[in-house]
């Protein structure tokens, strides 16, 4: 069974962090490596991370001086060892079957990346919008199609990708800049040969 590395950059999100982590540890697919990168939080977020690590051996906590979200993602990615990788922001949460459905799609389509849709929710969990890549579900996409879509919607939280592809690219997030996603993700697509979008309900919940 292949391992999914889940990288969660954490900074001053004590109110939302437990729900985020719970949504990951309770995945129906359990072969996970969960990397919490505390980016110099000044609230209790770092303590929360350490407490979760004491109760679940799959959790690894990295504490770093505050360097920004891009740096935290890079640190988590650099310490990942799974075959597949996803990013989850620490004030968001994920569908219980996100990792299971994504791994199934990798095996079924022999793809480099699996895309999924995201629901926009408020603090009470009410859905008021959706983010989705403009393509048909379970349609195999080539590099050019993927580049076009990721330039329009460069979100690192709406896909699972082979870690080997990211390592091969040598591309990392830029630290302490606005729109680090747009500076990074389109470059990754140049190393991806085949992509597919899940035919499923939104798998990610983005807290607005």
């Amino acid at each position: 069974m292949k391992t999914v590395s889940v990288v969660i950059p954490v900074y001053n999100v004590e109110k939302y962090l437990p729900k985020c982590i719970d949504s990951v540890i309770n995945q129906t697919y359990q072969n996970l490596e969960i990397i919490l990168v505390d980016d110099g939080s000044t609230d209790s977020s770092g303590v929360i991370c350490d407490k979760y690590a004491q109760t679940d051996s799959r959790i690894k906590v990295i504490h770093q001086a505050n360097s920004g979200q891009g740096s935290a993602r890079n640190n988590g990615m650099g310490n990942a060892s799974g075959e597949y990788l996803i990013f989850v922001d620490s004030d968001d949460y994920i569908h219980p079957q996100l990792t299971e459905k994504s791994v199934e799609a990798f095996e079924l389509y022999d793809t480099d990346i699996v895309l999924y849709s995201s629901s926009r929710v408020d603090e009470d969990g009410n859905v008021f919008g959706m983010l989705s890549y403009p393509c048909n579900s379970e349609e195999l996409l080539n590099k050019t199609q993927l580049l076009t879509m990721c330039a329009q919607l460069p979100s690192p939280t709406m896909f699972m990708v082979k870690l080997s592809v990211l390592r091969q690219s040598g591309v990392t997030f830029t630290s302490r800049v606005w729109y680090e996603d747009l500076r990074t993700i389109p470059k990754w697509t140049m190393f991806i040969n085949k992509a597919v979008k899940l035919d499923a309900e939104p798998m990610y919940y983005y807290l607005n």
Side-chain angles (χ1 to χ4, degrees):
M1 182 178 289
K2 294 184 177 179
T3 301
V4 176
S5 295
V6 184
V7 173
I8 306 176
V10 176
Y11 180 70
N12 288 357
V13 284
E14 59 184 9
K15 181 178 179 181
Y16 309 109
L17 185 57
K19 185 171 185 176
C20 173
I21 299 175
D22 286 341
S23 75
V24 176
I25 64 178
N26 292 320
Q27 289 287 292
T28 54
Y29 188 88
Q30 287 283 293
N31 198 29
L32 307 176
E33 173 188 57
I34 304 167
I35 305 174
L36 306 174
V37 185
D38 172 30
D39 186 36
S41 296
T42 57
D43 65 0
S44 64
S45 295
V47 174
I48 293 171
C49 290
D50 291 336
K51 287 183 176 179
Y52 269 94
Q54 293 171 5
T55 63
D56 193 320
S57 62
R58 299 173 299 171
I59 296 177
K60 176 193 301 183
V61 180
I62 300 171
H63 297 283
Q64 65 176 39
N66 180 251
S67 306
Q69 185 168 244
S71 172
R73 285 184 180 141
N74 290 339
N75 203 346
M77 186 166 54
N79 283 276
S81 60
E83 283 81 8
Y84 307 125
L85 180 140
I86 63 171
F87 293 102
V88 179
D89 285 348
S90 51
D91 53 351
D92 301 334
Y93 54 99
I94 60 177
H95 189 284
Q97 291 184 296
L98 183 152
T99 50
E100 178 184 359
K101 295 291 186 182
S102 298
V103 170
E104 287 176 354
F106 272 108
E107 295 175 350
L108 180 61
Y109 296 102
D110 187 29
T111 185
D112 295 323
I113 190 170
V114 174
L115 312 174
Y116 37 82
S117 301
S118 172
S119 289
R120 302 180 70 177
V121 297
D122 62 22
E123 292 194 15
D124 296 320
N126 299 309
V127 177
F128 63 89
M130 187 174 80
L131 297 171
S132 183
Y133 290 102
C135 62
N136 296 324
S137 298
E138 302 197 29
E139 171 191 0
L140 291 176
L141 307 169
N142 61 35
K143 185 178 299 187
T144 301
Q145 292 170 307
L146 182 64
L147 176 59
T148 300
M149 290 191 301
C150 286
Q152 296 171 348
L153 187 57
S155 172
T157 61
M158 290 177 60
F159 59 79
M160 182 184 291
V161 63
K162 287 182 178 178
L163 182 58
S164 60
V165 170
L166 303 189
R167 295 262 166 84
Q168 177 191 4
S169 75
V171 177
T172 58
F173 290 98
T174 305
S175 298
R176 296 191 182 280
V177 297
W178 291 104
Y179 306 114
E180 79 277 3
D181 306 345
L182 184 57
R183 297 168 186 256
T184 305
I185 294 171
K187 296 176 184 177
W188 280 344
T189 65
M190 301 307 296
F191 295 84
I192 293 170
N193 293 311
K194 188 164 60 173
V196 70
K197 178 183 172 185
L198 284 183
D199 181 19
E201 61 186 293
M203 292 280 110
Y204 190 93
Y205 300 95
Y206 171 76
L207 179 64
N208 214 58

